[in-house]
Amino acid sequence: MLRTHTCGELRKEHAGSEVTLSGWIRSIRDHNHFAFVNLTDRYGFCQVYFDENLKPQLEKEAYVQLKGEVKARPEKEINPNMATGEIEVICKEMKILSRSKVLPFELFDKIDVKEETRLKYRFLDMRRPQMIERLTMRSKIASAIRKAFEEMSFLEVETPVLVRSTPEGSRDFVVPSRVHHGKFYALPQSPQLYKQMLMIGGLDRYYQFARCFRDEDARRDRQLVHTQVDVEMATTQQEDVFRAVEHVMKTIFSDVLDVELKTPFPTYTYDEVMARFGIDKPDMRFGMELIDCGEAVSESGFVLFENALKDGATIKGIVAPGCAAYSRKQVSKLEKYIHQFQAKGLVAFKVKDGKLEGSPVKKMSEESVQKLYEKAAAQDGDLLLLCVGKSDIVHRSLGELRNYLARELNLIPEGEYNFLWVIDFPLFEWDEEANSWTPMHHMFSMPKDEFIENFEENPGDVKAQLYDLVLNGVELGSGSIRISYPEIQKRVMNLVGMSEEEAQKKFGFLLDAYQYASPPHGGIGMGFDNLVMTMLQLENIREVIAYPNASNGMFLYDGSPTPIECEQLDELHLNVVEKEEDEEANNEKSSEE
């Protein structure tokens, strides 16, 4: 037997027991004639005493098996910071099972090491207690999700991993077929079409932990490969999906974090959250809502405001609490931040002695300054920041600035989890580059009843039975009630510029399935990695994934992607066209940036 107990298992009641432990020697505290070792495994740490005869065998981070006696520590030597802090093991014999090279970094929680190094040596990074705890929590959350769905009679069903390439918004990862020359599979961006066919197939309630693949640039909350908690329900309405998802969330927060959520979650329309918070995934843990200032400054005499309003621009603002002391340099830093969202700048007013101050005040009438002050409802010591421009740019810029300021000013309370549903998304949005209408989410979402008859007339006004689940400013999931009528589906495809012939070619298998009496159905796809990250109150999704890709799309632990052998290329009838050196260098530079 290689071990009788784990390193985190022993307690005071084990005193006097003979035990066998196996683990890594994480640290050695040498006291000349004896030494203390922290022996560790996934389950925790245990202090082990070595006398001067056994001490010479000690090697840091070696994996060892030892036998010894559990001894209760004297009260003054108890370590309250360790689960096993009331005991130590007196080692009687030890065997080194495996030796370690010098580590590239220390395996403690607080380490100063580049993320690239951690990802390259991910197998070592996982030994750190922090990473073990995060992956353990991920497993517990997955178990609670399964428990909740099974309580509601959902079936866990696996959908295909090799699928037909279809346009779903991002580039597909494609897989060449060796057997079928010149043809390709794709790795699924989501199980969307296949879960809909499960409903037509009569499975009624489905879920799975689906691996989804998207060939796109990596960012903080997105990986080339991510795990999605995928859900679909037949004979359902929007509220039925909400109640099912709320039961899942209530279960996992209670079982894993011992947090009791209030349900049902509040519901807001897309138009409302955009007007109040500027973005469609608002963080509701703090205020600082957007203020519509257009009417207040419409007759201000300030040329910037009046000309902008004549041109149909939007003027909105936010109040940064306690920031009236900001210097011009600090305001410029805020302006630089919103430039990335195409905003041109900010108009700043300081609030002092119950009135607005600042250079813009000199260009405005007293009446309009007072109107703006009353509209802002700001307090002495606050800073009012106005943004002027196109509606979508103003909303996005102020929405992102709101989140930025909340972090900078420590306005976000710890330990709070604020869920909400955002409903009634537009079904279509205008793509200026393509000069055509395109689905805001995807083309399989059902228009709201009042738009079904003539949605082609004013596509920009059409609302869909589309909804997002948001937690603390993170979009956890997106879903909809699906189109289950082939005639409506063809109309939507036609509106976004897809001919009937092209629709049949790309989606014929789904359209054909519709011909066999599809029940009304809907569902949602929830980002499992995002959920774990948000529950653990982390900022980087790579911290909750065992084997994530780096920011440049490389998997550093195995060096992929890599070239393949010529024989493999020949079998697949493929030829690699070399890039020109300058182009390749530019791409590498872009990846690094």
Side-chain angles (χ1 to χ4, degrees):
M1 182 180 292
L2 291 178
R3 68 182 178 194
T4 57
H5 298 78
T6 65
C7 293
E9 183 180 354
L10 298 175
R11 299 292 185 271
K12 192 173 182 178
E13 54 266 28
H14 293 101
S17 302
E18 295 287 330
V19 297
T20 301
L21 302 178
S22 292
W24 287 277
I25 296 176
R26 183 58 41 85
S27 64
I28 303 170
R29 303 194 305 281
D30 194 334
H31 294 269
N32 292 326
H33 298 296
F34 63 92
F36 288 111
V37 159
N38 267 345
L39 194 71
T40 182
D41 59 14
R42 172 190 138 191
Y43 305 95
F45 289 90
C46 181
Q47 179 170 288
V48 183
Y49 171 88
F50 287 81
D51 62 24
E52 59 184 344
N53 296 319
L54 291 170
K55 193 182 73 162
Q57 300 181 44
L58 297 177
E59 298 179 15
K60 191 172 180 181
E61 214 56 36
Y63 194 83
V64 303
Q65 179 198 46
L66 61 85
K67 296 181 180 180
E69 181 182 348
V70 181
K71 176 186 174 184
R73 295 195 201 186
E75 187 171 347
K76 63 180 181 179
E77 296 179 12
I78 291 175
N79 184 348
N81 298 318
M82 289 177 65
T84 59
E86 291 185 307
I87 62 94
E88 63 186 17
V89 174
I90 310 300
C91 182
K92 295 182 178 179
E93 60 178 279
M94 185 189 79
K95 182 191 298 183
I96 295 179
L97 301 180
S98 181
R99 288 183 163 86
S100 174
K101 291 173 62 176
V102 176
L103 298 174
F105 53 86
E106 294 292 337
L107 305 184
F108 301 109
D109 284 343
K110 294 182 179 179
I111 54 174
D112 183 16
V113 61
K114 291 182 178 180
E115 185 181 53
E116 290 81 2
T117 305
R118 288 179 55 205
L119 294 179
K120 180 178 179 180
Y121 296 96
R122 192 61 160 182
F123 56 90
L124 291 177
D125 194 46
M126 287 180 194
R127 290 188 199 171
R128 296 190 302 118
Q130 196 175 65
M131 283 303 300
I132 290 173
E133 175 63 19
R134 290 168 182 170
L135 295 176
T136 299
M137 291 292 283
R138 181 185 176 103
S139 178
K140 289 180 178 179
I141 293 168
S143 295
I145 288 172
R146 285 192 166 93
K147 167 190 167 185
F149 277 121
E150 288 168 6
E151 288 173 348
M152 296 183 290
S153 301
F154 278 76
L155 299 178
E156 185 171 6
V157 182
E158 295 173 346
T159 52
V161 176
L162 293 175
V163 301
R164 184 188 190 96
S165 181
T166 57
E168 290 189 46
S170 300
R171 289 182 293 272
D172 283 332
F173 279 105
V174 294
V175 181
S177 171
R178 180 184 60 82
V179 176
H180 303 283
H181 179 214
K183 295 185 178 181
F184 295 81
Y185 305 100
L187 302 180
Q189 294 185 36
S190 81
Q192 181 64 48
L193 308 182
Y194 303 93
K195 67 178 179 179
Q196 288 188 237
M197 290 195 293
L198 288 179
M199 298 302 100
I200 300 172
L203 295 191
D204 196 64
R205 291 188 162 203
Y206 137 95
Y207 82 99
Q208 73 165 316
F209 287 84
R211 300 290 276 165
C212 300
F213 306 82
R214 293 178 182 175
D215 186 7
E216 60 183 2
D217 296 334
R219 60 178 194 262
R220 180 182 66 87
D221 61 347
R222 186 66 60 85
Q223 287 274 298
L224 299 179
V225 186
H226 71 276
T227 302
Q228 180 168 299
V229 181
D230 205 50
V231 184
E232 199 76 7
M233 302 166 63
T235 319
T236 193
Q237 295 179 315
Q238 184 170 279
E239 290 71 21
D240 301 318
V241 178
F242 291 1
R243 300 296 86 83
V245 171
E246 288 167 0
H247 174 70
V248 172
M249 293 300 157
K250 195 172 179 68
T251 299
I252 61 177
F253 273 78
S254 177
D255 289 2
V256 179
L257 297 183
D258 197 26
V259 171
E260 296 301 323
L261 299 178
K262 293 181 180 179
T263 55
F265 300 153
T267 300
Y268 301 84
T269 67
Y270 171 83
D271 289 342
E272 182 180 2
V273 296
M274 292 301 293
R276 291 175 58 186
F277 305 102
I279 51 180
D280 58 12
K281 49 181 180 181
D283 191 334
M284 307 290 278
R285 291 173 295 174
F286 58 94
M288 216 169 19
E289 295 187 19
L290 276 58
I291 307 158
D292 190 344
C293 303
E295 184 178 349
V297 300
S298 61
E299 298 178 356
S300 64
F302 190 6
V303 175
L304 171 66
F305 292 157
E306 293 193 356
N307 286 349
L309 291 170
K310 287 177 183 177
D311 293 338
T314 295
I315 302 177
K316 284 198 169 185
I318 56 173
V319 174
C323 294
Y326 267 31
S327 65
R328 180 62 228 173
K329 184 178 180 180
Q330 287 174 298
V331 174
S332 294
K333 183 180 177 182
L334 300 180
E335 289 182 314
K336 184 178 180 181
Y337 178 77
I338 65 171
H339 284 165
Q340 62 185 305
F341 310 113
Q342 299 182 312
K344 293 181 179 179
L346 294 167
V347 182
F349 299 84
K350 298 180 179 182
V351 185
K352 184 178 179 181
D353 298 330
K355 60 182 180 180
L356 299 180
E357 293 185 352
S359 57
V361 170
K362 301 173 185 177
K363 304 172 184 179
M364 299 170 60
S365 66
E366 290 185 12
E367 184 181 357
S368 65
V369 172
Q370 182 62 26
K371 282 184 179 180
L372 182 58
Y373 171 72
E374 293 173 358
K375 183 70 175 178
Q379 306 296 316
D380 283 356
D382 292 346
L383 182 68
L384 172 61
L385 299 166
L386 302 191
C387 186
V388 182
K390 290 183 178 180
S391 178
D392 56 342
I393 293 176
V394 168
H395 283 99
R396 172 77 189 281
S397 301
L398 290 180
E400 296 291 351
L401 182 61
R402 173 180 178 268
N403 289 337
Y404 175 82
L405 284 170
R407 293 190 295 269
E408 290 290 303
L409 302 175
N410 294 317
L411 300 180
I412 305 175
E414 294 184 5
E416 284 192 14
Y417 298 94
N418 284 39
F419 281 90
L420 67 143
W421 291 103
V422 180
I423 63 172
D424 296 351
F425 278 81
L427 181 53
F428 306 106
E429 59 185 348
W430 183 253
D431 186 334
E432 292 188 2
E433 289 187 12
N435 196 35
S436 65
W437 291 103
T438 185
M440 178 170 275
H441 283 57
H442 59 67
M443 65 180 73
F444 308 105
S445 301
M446 190 73 171
K448 296 193 73 176
D449 290 346
E450 59 266 35
F451 297 100
I452 291 176
E453 185 176 345
N454 55 0
F455 61 75
E456 292 91 346
E457 293 181 7
N458 296 293
D461 296 336
V462 178
K463 304 295 186 184
Q465 296 182 57
L466 270 165
Y467 39 83
D468 280 359
L469 177 64
V470 179
L471 169 60
N472 292 357
V474 176
E475 178 196 314
L476 283 188
S478 185
S480 68
I481 299 301
R482 321 301 184 190
I483 298 173
S484 53
Y485 304 100
E487 297 80 11
I488 297 177
Q489 187 66 75
K490 289 177 182 178
R491 287 171 58 198
V492 170
M493 289 177 168
N494 182 63
L495 184 76
V496 299
M498 184 175 291
S499 67
E500 191 167 338
E501 181 181 359
E502 184 183 4
Q504 191 62 35
K505 180 180 177 181
K506 292 180 176 178
F507 301 106
F509 62 100
L510 176 66
L511 297 175
D512 290 345
Y514 279 155
Q515 306 294 329
Y516 296 91
S518 169
H521 57 281
I524 191 170
M526 296 178 286
F528 181 57
D529 309 308
N530 266 343
L531 173 62
V532 177
M533 178 186 73
T534 307
M535 288 181 70
L536 301 187
Q537 299 188 332
L538 299 172
E539 296 292 329
N540 189 335
I541 201 170
R542 290 187 282 274
E543 296 297 331
V544 297
I545 300 173
Y547 293 106
N549 60 259
S551 58
N552 64 358
M554 295 283 290
F555 292 91
L556 301 181
Y557 48 82
D558 68 357
S560 61
T562 61
I564 62 174
E565 299 294 333
C566 291
E567 291 80 1
Q568 292 174 283
L569 289 172
D570 290 341
E571 284 184 335
L572 296 168
H573 308 287
L574 294 177
N575 183 39
V576 176
V577 178
E578 295 292 340
K579 285 186 177 181
E580 294 184 11
E581 290 185 10
D582 289 345
E583 182 182 351
E584 190 168 353
N586 288 335
N587 286 342
E588 288 179 2
K589 183 178 179 182
S590 298
S591 296
E592 291 171 2
E593 292 173 350

